Amino acid sequence: MGIRLLGPVELRAEDGTLLEVAGSQRRAVLALLALQLGRPVAIERFFELLWGDRPPAHARAALQGHIAALRKVLCDSAFTLHTRAPGYLLTGAPEQVDLGRFEDLVARAEGATATEAASGTQTSVRTGPQTGTQTSKQTGARTTDDTETAQVSTDAATEAAALLQQALDLWRGAPLADLPDTDLRRALAGRLQESWTQVLISWSELRLRLGSGAAAVPALEQSVRADGLREPVAALLIRCLHQAGRTADALTAYHQARERLDSQLGITPGPALRAAFATALSEEAPAPDGHRAARQPHQPAPERAAMAERPTAAERSATGGQPPLPVEPTPATTATATGERAAAPAVSRQLPRQIAGFVGRSLESHWLDRECGEDRVGDGLAVVVGPAGVGKSATVIRWAHSAAAAFPDGQLFVDLRGFDPAGPVDQGDVLGQFLIALGVPEAGIPEDAAARGALYRTQTERRRLLVVLDNARSAADVVGLLPIGPNCSTVVTSRNTLEDLVVTEGAALLRLEALPDDDALRLLERALTPLRVQAEPQAAQQLITLCDRLPLALRIAASRLSSRPSWAIADVVAELTDERTRLHTLDTQGATSVRAALTLTYRHLSSTAARLVVLLAAHPGREVDGYAAAALLRCHLHDARRTLGELASYHLLTENVPGRYTRHDLIRLFSMELYADQPAEERKLSSDRLLDYYLTALRLASDHLDPGIESYGEREHPPLAFPEPADARASLAWFRLEEPTIRALVTAASADGRHEHAWRMARISESLYYGTGRLTDELACLRAGLRAAERTGSTQALAVLEGACANALFSVSFPDEALSLARQAVERTVPADGNTHLRAVYSLALISAQTGDLAQGRELADRAVGLSEAAEVGALPEHQGAAQGYAATIKLMAGDPVAALTHAREARRLLADYPASTLKLLATLNEAQILHLLGNSAATEPLWATLLVTTRETGFLHLQAVAEKWYASFLVDLGRLDEAAEHLRVAINLHQLHGHVATALTEQLADIEATLAP
């Protein structure tokens, strides 16, 4: 088994199999322990790595849960995880951690390196305990690559280089990259990355001495691309390129480093870079045998010296922006027939004015630099997409101005008006405008669009141009306008994803998201002055949220405040808080508004996609999937998914996880405006279809946990597509995603008269709420269902919801109200009501027993068992199993373990086909407790194992917490306190995940820890 830190954090078995360490926080705990192998790590240090300076209230319990899980996965490994003040300690062999192997290889390389007494230069590599591997160099009069005076033997240098190569090969990417992004993670990763860089330097120096510097070029280039401001690395790259015979590339590398230092730091190259440059400029590359290679006749030293005079960015600016690199002559600068050079036409600079008050987007600008800038690594074609109002055009135009000096032959710009009501601009007209801008006389521009395209390609073939194609609707609008010259770059913006352009032209795609909170706040400060914003920090944050952090919406809101100096930010917030008028508030007198931008996009959708935009107003959740969309559209699943994909391609929806789509509030409100204009019959139909879909899906999901649950009537609009979970785990996973939507639908249906839908959905959701441990949310949903049941006039509906609410109330510690509702449910029903009456009886039995009336509880339990076997009730085996399970719990509470055991085993037999049903698992818990009570503890272990494994694998959080608690009590009775403490910690963590109080468990754990303390 080994721990890998030099890349994504991994835990691997001895055979190399990847072992699961679930979640980035748990991997972070493992990483910190491994980084400090053999040394205790304080609890506060874990908090800092996981949550920064804001650990949550449950931080300690969460950490204990992670530690418990890691102990299990490490139990058979070479590592041991100890509890050691002031936190935790991981012990094990250092070579089992890749960082340990890395440091060992570096130390061995240091041992293999001989001292260079003659030259006064010593190169060593050492490993520090806190900061990782470092390299130190003490340099005398000569430089480190002076092979004529180097005293390191070839054998020693070869051995050291091989060891450092092995050390570098251990790296699999950016260290600790998949952990929570906190200041401590960045600091730790930075130290590790610094270790890699320093070892890279030492290895490259050795390669140079051995005459094999070419082998170091790829790694040095990678390092320079990642951080081009490290002069020692850039100097080594120049030397290695030179030694490899690539003198021109070495000189280019120097000039690129010089440019970066000038533009980013405002400094000139230091001694190391200048020395490397002088070497490349004045000396020929040594051949592999160490002799100098003959000078290449086609590139004499004076020509290389001329190349050395390329100006920096600041110098170019002062001299009118001359080209940074030699380019082939363009048609505008070729010699005339008389031998005189024709006058170059004026360079066309068509970029629009930059928007005032622009903030943020530095990462996006760096991305554009990489794909389309002067030192690009991409192919020079980038597509920037995003929703209306997110700032695509502003971001690209600002970047284009900053990059303009790198394109001395001009910058072309066109607004393609892809979403304009009048239609997009004619591509032939655009080509004509571009050709004129490139110096082609108007009389020489062909009439035919195809001929214009051919001439445009000829004109751009040998130029260095930047082309910005703004507001494109489709790839077809763009392809004919792409320049073909290798020194040209093109940036396209669109609300559509333009995936065809990515596939057919190899374009790089950037999705522009809403502004981060900090940048949104800076935008407001620029528009309103910092003083005004800082006077109302809470209102400013509310304004940012209500505007969905979209730059367009924020600018409109700020403009309203700027034109009304007497208004407070809170005044605009009050207007925006009203969802009915929010879009109106974000309108302007002109054509620029959020509503106008969304309307332009809406008009270009297919009819089905446009209809779905309207119907999504009936869906109250933040997420929607294909099944819900299919219900709204009354179509098949594949058609619904295709329609959702179309909306996502226009950025009206965002696919955050595969198959599930979210939308901004402003888009939701736009849908609601459109929905309000629909006929009342259409609105009712769409809502009914959605409710019937969720009733069907809930019924199928609940059957794995509450087998035999009634459907409570037929669906008027049965869905064409619905999920069919394979087991309880899949059912609970689906419900966790859909719960907010289900609760909102029940509440809305109860309020607007769809009472039958509301109470049925609430009842069918009951077991799923219990399974996911969302007991407070369950009660809120059931109360809404109860209100709806009261309005139906149905005794059965009322009894069903009263019984369900009674169980939920008791689960969250409202025993008196629970008992009252349970009694009402029994009184409203008779045996002829079947399972409705049976459920009411055994629910009342359990609540009576738990509130202290064991006699009544036992009598009602026996009555429920009898009813379940009576022909009059017609109970299914699943209903009989439920009655037996409740009876087992009550008899155990009443002190009759023998009778309780009979009931528990009968319940398990009747529910054998439902291994993860709630009552089957509770019966298993009862049987384990009873057997231990009867002195047969050995027979309980398999039952405990089945119970714990099933609840964990299923994700049955509440029942898992219950099982962990009772298993801990079992372990305490057996004297296994260490194990008991671990299970109590898990139980406490599970309770606290949903805000449940676990005071008794915490006190029990404290007692055990006090006993275990030395």
Side-chain angles (χ1 to χ4, degrees), residues 207-209 211-214 238-246 285-286:
R207 282 293 187 187
L208 272 172
R209 293 188 175 199
S212 56
I238 294 166
R239 293 182 185 280
C240 289
L241 285 167
H242 172 61
Q243 190 181 72
R246 297 167 57 184

Side-chain angles (χ1 to χ4, degrees), residues 376-698:
R376 75 186 191 209
V377 296
D379 293 331
L381 176 57
V383 180
V384 179
V385 300
V390 79
K392 302 178 293 297
S393 299
T395 299
V396 169
I397 290 169
R398 182 177 179 82
W399 172 82
H401 277 280
S402 70
F407 301 94
D409 292 329
Q411 303 92 45
L412 305 180
F413 176 90
V414 64
D415 181 356
L416 294 173
R417 301 185 182 278
F419 297 87
D420 195 282
V425 297
D426 181 76
Q427 192 170 107
D429 291 344
V430 176
L431 286 168
Q433 296 166 13
F434 279 1
L435 288 169
I436 291 174
L438 293 173
V440 178
E442 192 168 351
I445 297 176
E447 291 294 326
D448 178 61
R452 289 184 177 187
L455 181 57
Y456 175 69
R457 290 190 290 275
T458 300
Q459 288 290 319
T460 60
E461 184 176 7
R462 298 166 69 184
R463 296 179 189 261
R464 187 183 293 275
L465 292 167
L466 174 62
V467 181
V468 178
L469 305 176
D470 192 32
N471 200 15
R473 180 186 172 191
S474 67
D477 297 335
V478 169
V479 172
L481 301 176
L482 299 178
I484 66 169
N487 292 315
C488 296
S489 290
T490 305
V491 184
V492 184
T493 73
S494 180
R495 300 176 194 180
N496 198 342
T497 54
L498 300 186
E499 291 180 355
D500 287 349
L501 206 60
V502 176
V503 174
T504 61
E505 301 294 331
L509 183 68
L510 173 66
R511 297 181 187 275
L512 208 61
E513 305 291 345
L515 287 173
D517 283 341
D518 289 347
D519 287 341
L521 191 63
R522 287 172 54 210
L523 189 154
L524 285 181
E525 288 179 343
R526 291 268 184 99
L528 300 175
T529 74
L531 188 62
R532 192 171 180 184
V533 173
Q534 291 164 13
E536 298 180 83
Q538 186 174 357
Q541 193 57 54
Q542 288 178 292
L543 179 61
I544 290 168
T545 301
L546 291 168
C547 289
D548 281 341
R549 295 179 288 115
L550 289 174
L552 175 61
L554 286 166
R555 289 183 185 280
I556 292 172
S559 72
R560 288 175 62 82
L561 285 165
S562 296
S563 62
R564 298 165 177 82
S566 62
W567 281 30
I569 297 176
D571 295 326
V572 172
V573 168
E575 285 192 348
L576 292 173
T577 301
D578 188 344
E579 292 191 343
R580 297 168 299 178
T581 59
R582 188 179 306 172
L583 287 176
H584 175 74
T585 302
L586 295 175
D587 269 345
T588 63
Q589 297 300 317
T592 302
S593 73
V594 174
R595 182 191 284 107
L598 292 173
T599 300
L600 289 178
T601 304
Y602 174 73
R603 287 173 178 168
H604 286 83
L605 298 172
S606 68
S607 59
T608 304
R611 182 165 168 253
L612 184 56
V613 169
V614 177
L615 296 180
L616 282 175
H619 192 290
R622 288 196 60 83
E623 289 188 343
V624 63
D625 67 356
Y627 293 107
L632 288 168
L633 292 170
R634 186 64 180 167
C635 69
H636 293 287
L637 181 61
H638 60 87
D639 294 324
R641 285 174 171 167
R642 184 171 60 249
T643 305
L644 287 168
E646 180 180 346
L647 296 183
S649 72
Y650 282 96
H651 295 90
L652 295 173
L653 296 176
T654 302
E655 190 176 15
N656 289 325
V657 296
R660 297 192 68 82
Y661 298 81
T662 60
R663 52 190 164 161
H664 286 295
D665 272 349
L666 294 176
I667 295 173
R668 177 179 60 83
L669 297 178
F670 179 70
S671 292
M672 291 175 65
E673 285 190 355
L674 298 172
Y675 188 69
D677 293 334
Q678 304 301 305
E681 297 79 7
E682 178 68 18
R683 297 199 303 271
K684 181 179 185 303
L685 180 61
S686 60
S687 294
D688 287 348
R689 284 174 175 170
L690 190 66
L691 290 166
D692 278 348
Y693 155 69
Y694 274 106
L695 275 171
T696 301
L698 283 167

Side-chain angles (χ1 to χ4, degrees), residues 29 32-34 36-44 46-47 59-68 70-71 80-91 982 985 1009:
V29 173
L32 189 54
L33 289 165
Q36 300 291 323
L37 188 69
R39 287 170 291 174
V41 181
I43 287 176
E44 291 73 20
F46 289 106
F47 291 176
R60 186 176 294 270
L63 175 61
Q64 291 169 346
H66 292 313
I67 293 292
L70 287 174
R71 279 184 170 140
T80 304
L81 182 48
H82 311 268
T83 300
R84 184 70 51 82
Y88 298 96
L89 165 72
L90 184 69
T91 57
E982 291 297 339
R985 291 187 188 105
E1009 289 178 335

Side-chain angles (χ1 to χ4, degrees), residues 849-884:
Q850 288 174 324
T851 52
D853 195 343
L854 287 171
Q856 186 184 29
R858 183 163 186 159
E859 185 272 326
L860 287 168
D862 288 336
R863 178 178 162 191
V865 170
L867 283 168
S868 72
E869 297 169 348
E872 179 185 9
V873 174
L876 298 173
E878 295 87 350
H879 304 157
Q880 294 174 356
Q884 294 283 353

